[in-house]
Amino acid sequence: MSEKRNVALVAGGNSSESVISVQSAAQMLKNIDSSKYNAWLVTVSGLQWKVQCLDGKMVEIDKNDFSFSVDDKKQFFDVVLMAIHGNPGEDGFLQAYFKMLNIPVTTCDMFVSALTFNKFACKTFLKEFDIKTAKAKIYRQSDEIDFKQLVFELGLPVFVKPNNGGSSFGASKVKRVEDFEVAFKKAFEHDHEIIAEEFIQATEVTCGVSILNGVEYLLPPTEIVSKNEFFDYEAKYSEGKSEEITPARLAPAQISEVQQLSLKIYKLLNCKGVVRIDYLLRDGIFYFMEVNSVPGMSASSIVPKQLATYGISFSDFLGLLIEDAIQRK
């Protein structure tokens, strides 16, 4: 029998999404096949990187080679199962670090991670391939902002949100010109760049997609019905604040269309692992919103529910993610 591989389940991070990351990691840790893998929880917070040992003790990670020592014996990892949403696990920072150490990771590479994390850059890239997106403008803290010109170009309401980030932290739906200042200030608390995006009255749909070991997994799309003004942080993570309907209430042809569109985007961006792509559906047209290159994997997250509907166990899928990353090394 071959020796079990050491898997670093990397969680935490430096963004507001660290709480969600820890929840994702806990669910993943419960479902990793212990007959095939030794899973170690590694928490990252700033320069504090620690691994949880079997006795519960937290041991410092040696960042020179991403190892740790137990009883004076060095332990190394065969693969990284990424569970960090936001910086530094979804924006390419850790992907670059692990690339230099020649340790495979279950996500997109450093460039694709950085591109997909930057909402405006990703939209701009995909527009070159005739992928429809909502109109948007990008702003930085040093910019002088003409709110009236913004409304002239994008209309009202307008979504204002951090350009680099997720879980709807710092996002606002602005209905009046006089409310822009507060919305921009709120968004700038989470990022040095913010994006203003036209409001599209539409059905919100999200679709998971993956190519693992050459096999395409086109997951059933989910329809999101928020009971709040929009699908904000509270709606995403508070009980009863939204409905997530899988499969989405779409015609079979539309389900196939959004799956194929997701596969096209996955291939255009050269994604790896599993990603979740968000859309707005208006008048029969899917408008691309963003790519989640490290989607949530907690018990309440969308991708695990899509996997269940698809008919593959969470444990088996994690195994496929791990083996695909090792094969790509």
Side-chain angles (χ1 to χ4, degrees), residues 15-20 85 119 160-172 186-191 230-234 236-237:
S15 75
S16 308
E17 296 181 87
S18 60
V19 175
I20 312 305
H85 316 306
K119 297 181 181 72
V160 174
K161 55 191 176 183
N163 187 42
N164 304 275
S167 291
S168 298
F169 283 106
S172 302
K186 179 181 173 183
F188 276 131
E189 287 173 359
H190 295 270
D191 192 15
F230 63 99
F231 196 45
D232 58 8
Y233 180 84
E234 183 187 44
K236 284 181 179 178
Y237 301 110

Side-chain angles (χ1 to χ4, degrees), residues 18-31:
S18 60
V19 175
I20 312 305
S21 169
V22 170
Q23 293 173 6
S24 289
Q27 186 71 2
M28 293 163 89
L29 200 59
K30 277 198 307 186
N31 283 277

Side-chain angles (χ1 to χ4, degrees), residues 161-223:
K161 55 191 176 183
N163 187 42
N164 304 275
S167 291
S168 298
F169 283 106
S172 302
K173 182 179 178 182
V174 179
K175 299 177 180 177
R176 306 182 305 163
V177 174
E178 51 266 39
D179 294 334
F180 272 114
E181 198 165 325
V182 171
F184 271 60
K185 183 179 178 182
K186 179 181 173 183
F188 276 131
E189 287 173 359
H190 295 270
D191 192 15
H192 66 287
E193 294 179 331
I194 64 172
I195 184 170
E197 199 167 59
E198 70 168 322
F199 171 71
I200 295 178
Q201 185 70 50
T203 301
E204 190 163 349
V205 177
T206 186
C207 188
V209 61
S210 192
I211 302 176
L212 303 175
N213 304 299
V215 178
E216 296 173 357
Y217 295 87
L218 309 182
L219 302 185
T222 298
E223 178 184 347

Side-chain angles (χ1 to χ4, degrees), residues 69-85:
S69 296
V70 178
D71 298 328
D72 295 324
K73 183 182 177 183
K74 268 218 170 198
Q75 300 279 344
F76 294 92
F77 295 105
D78 298 298
V79 63
V80 169
L81 180 57
M82 185 62 68
I84 293 180
H85 316 306

Side-chain angles (χ1 to χ4, degrees), residues 18 33 71 105 187 304 311 328:
S18 60
D33 187 344
D71 298 328
V105 188
R328 288 189 275 110

Side-chain angles (χ1 to χ4, degrees), residues 85-106:
H85 316 306
N87 172 271
E90 196 171 7
D91 54 7
F93 281 63
L94 282 181
Q95 284 79 0
Y97 165 76
F98 290 124
K99 180 71 173 177
M100 288 190 293
L101 294 177
N102 200 29
I103 301 173
V105 188
T106 58

